[in-house]
Amino acid sequence: MTQPNDYDLPDGDQRSEPRELPISPPRGEKPELPVRADDVFSAWRPPAANAPASDERPQPESDQGRSGVYSNFSGNLVLGEINGVKVVNEVQAALEHLNADDAYLRLTSRLFAPPEGFDATYAKWRDGARLLTIARPPGTGRTVIAHAMLAKLREESQQQVKVGALHFGGGETFPVDRLPVKHRHWAYVVEVPPDEEGFQLHSRHFRLAMTELAPELERRKSWLIFLISPEQWAACVDEDVRHMEADIGTAAPADIVRRALEVQEPELDVARWLAATPIERMLAGQPPAEVLEIVELIRSAHRAKPDQLAALQEGDKDPDCADLSDGGDRLFARRVKTVVEARRNWRKPLLEWHRKRGRTSVQRSFLLASAALPGAPGSYVYALASKLEGSLSGKEQPDLAALDAPGIIELVDAVEADLSDNDTVVFRRDGWDDAALHYFWTDRPFSRPAFLDWLADAPTGKQDKTFDSVSGEQLEELAARIARFAVHWAARQERPEPLAKLAGSWRGSNLWPVFVRTLDEAATQSSTHRYIHAMLLKWAKRKDLALGRAVAEVCGLEFGRRHTGKALRRLKHVAAVADEEIERAVERSVITLWDDDSVRKTLFETVIAWCENADTAAVAYRAFSALAAKTDEDGRTPTLLRGGGDGGFAPSSDGLIAGWTVLLSPQPSKEAEAVVHATVNQWLDVAMGRPDLRDEILGLLRKAVDHPEQPGVVSPRERLRHYVFTWHEAGDSAETVDRERIYLHLTKLFDSDFSRRLRGGADSADGTDHAA
């Protein structure tokens, strides 16, 4: 093992430590999206762009640390809370880099159940291999294995090796230059994005990159782990890289449960739980992500009060309940049965609940409303349940103002819930809300459209007198809860209909930003991102204005910054939709994606393809004008003119000419013409101040208008002459000579091209070559 003093950082390699974020949302902040239990090991991610910083150190969560909006009996769905620790690190702005928090690393080491082969593989990687691939599907423990290795390496180096995560980037491989230039003594984990339409890992290039990365990591005294799917690795592997694959088995489910519970619930009798036949059967053959779900259910059942547990009927013949009595301890038996029923989505207990004598439609509507509005105040739920009852029954709303109608407290009890201290509806059983929604969706197919209409309409403020006292801020908070529910439903049940309905109903309203923010968070959270990414791709193809706008806007937010390649592939589809809102969103997203060097070549080629297609001319104008105006660090020189001298991407002359051709074509509005005029001025200013770029700039502008022209329309050439003339006239006396020289030279080039075409007669069939 390398000795600790070998990890000393060289002078000048200083990095500011990231600020930590609080475990629970501060007052006034909206809670995050629902998470799954495997987020205990996947919470290593950048925060939302507007997340506040905190000096708090993350600590294991306790019941006392929870806000009243969260259920005391919680498992996999508690509006963003997880049972354990949630450590979120701030993105290092220039590097898209995470500097992992030591509290999270220590917890990872404590929770991790090492599978067979882990120690040997770690030693091989630590002592010289440097580069390692873990070829497993998501959800099989590959992330926690990698994080455990990084945690162990940092601990053994006495915190002198820094560890974190790098994004794969937008390309089809991971070249050496994706490593931060000044880093020494670092260990990274990199997740290879899955293949999808428009992206397939370039096997040969990736394999060659790995052979180049290994010696570079050795030179830097650094390490790297790739997380990759078995199919992608099988396409890449050969004798040159075969030794880089991790030879690690799968941890036994019981070991994962034992380790997690011993750390998080030290007073719990783990052996007793593992010996219960239903638990043993439930764990058999489950992947780590599913095992962690069961761990959370066990923890919740262990903490639950008797009235929150599943009933154990006398003479129950269910084989899973046959061994639950455990020496007559019926309370423990009920705890085990609660885990079993929660795992089965509470289907039988919900059937019994619906069949109960005296059950009313109002109670069913209140259950559905409470389940769809987690954490909302009881008064909201009560009023909206009344609205839902009317929508589903097709009749007038029941008069809940009458004293003979059921009140909030009565209805809350009827749906097996309680009112918390802050007047929110809290279900007694873990997962009861999610199960109730799933039950309704399956059981009442004809009621689905009415339910979705009600869901989308709930926070719009278009309600009856019950909502007179509700503020816009409260409605926005309700909208955020509904949007998070829709995300949770989409990811857990693979049903995007609620999200699509919200997009259609909230487009153009003040709730739209709430929807987009929630969708962006879902696209960047480990618990939801896989399904949401696939859903966004489907939405991008549907030519639906609301869905297309949602995709275009999300691609310009955190999703686009982290998954540039995926964002670009989705923008290619929405760019074909003729809609000004989508065009503006695509423009913003193009600027976001341009910040990732690895995607610039593909992004530029995509924008130029839009320029060359008449159907995408509108979005091409916006996208290319945005890129043309973007400058380098000096705040003056267009990024498109940097020439690639530093090893970066250099746009082709043909591509730049195609882009300028679109810009100098007739524009539909004075606003668009003003943008083009300003961009021409910007480039001419650079031509005046940078003699080394002058010929290139003037040549591009000249060729962009050297085309056949049409009668009756101001030609692009004459339009450019106008822009150049006004630029020439706008200069001060100190610049007169330089501006005069550029003006005369460029107009002489225009006249030369015009004369050449006249002499050749090449344009006679396509229209005259004069200005109207």
Side-chain angles (χ1 to χ4, degrees), residues 480-526:
R481 287 193 173 98
I482 290 174
R484 286 192 296 271
F485 152 71
V487 163
H488 167 74
W489 183 255
R492 291 297 296 262
Q493 310 298 341
E494 297 191 355
R495 298 186 185 280
E497 294 92 343
L499 275 173
K501 182 63 181 180
L502 296 186
S505 298
W506 294 358
R507 174 175 172 252
S509 75
N510 57 357
L511 299 180
W512 180 255
V514 176
F515 175 75
V516 173
R517 284 197 303 268
T518 305
L519 195 60
D520 183 52
E521 290 171 2
T524 53
Q525 283 199 347
S526 56

Side-chain angles (χ1 to χ4, degrees), residues 121-143:
T121 300
Y122 168 76
K124 175 184 173 182
W125 174 69
R126 175 197 64 193
D127 294 337
R130 301 283 180 178
L131 185 59
L132 184 70
T133 62
I134 300 179
R136 295 182 178 211
T140 58
R142 66 182 193 177
T143 301

Side-chain angles (χ1 to χ4, degrees), residues 145-207:
I145 289 173
H147 289 189
M149 286 190 166
L150 268 59
K152 191 170 184 178
L153 183 63
R154 179 157 172 79
E155 181 184 5
E156 290 183 354
S157 72
Q158 298 179 10
Q159 284 69 50
Q160 296 195 49
V161 170
K162 294 187 177 183
V163 302
L166 291 176
H167 297 303
F168 186 84
E172 296 177 331
T173 187
F174 190 88
V176 170
D177 59 14
R178 288 294 292 171
L179 298 176
V181 176
K182 296 181 179 181
H183 275 199
R184 302 292 185 275
H185 308 280
W186 273 81
Y188 313 103
V189 60
V190 178
E191 182 174 356
V192 179
D195 291 345
E196 64 175 20
E197 176 190 298
F199 171 80
Q200 185 172 8
L201 185 69
H202 201 299
S203 304
R204 184 175 65 87
H205 289 174
F206 184 67
R207 183 168 62 248

Side-chain angles (χ1 to χ4, degrees), residues 275-320:
T277 301
I279 301 299
E280 185 179 13
R281 290 175 179 168
M282 191 182 301
L283 291 171
Q286 293 294 323
E290 298 299 321
V291 173
L292 290 173
E293 291 276 8
I294 297 170
V295 166
E296 293 305 302
L297 294 175
I298 291 174
R299 295 184 66 204
S300 295
H302 168 68
R303 295 177 176 186
K305 299 176 182 177
D307 64 346
Q308 298 173 321
L309 298 172
L312 192 64
Q313 303 296 332
E314 293 292 342
D316 196 332
K317 301 301 182 182
D318 188 332
D320 277 345

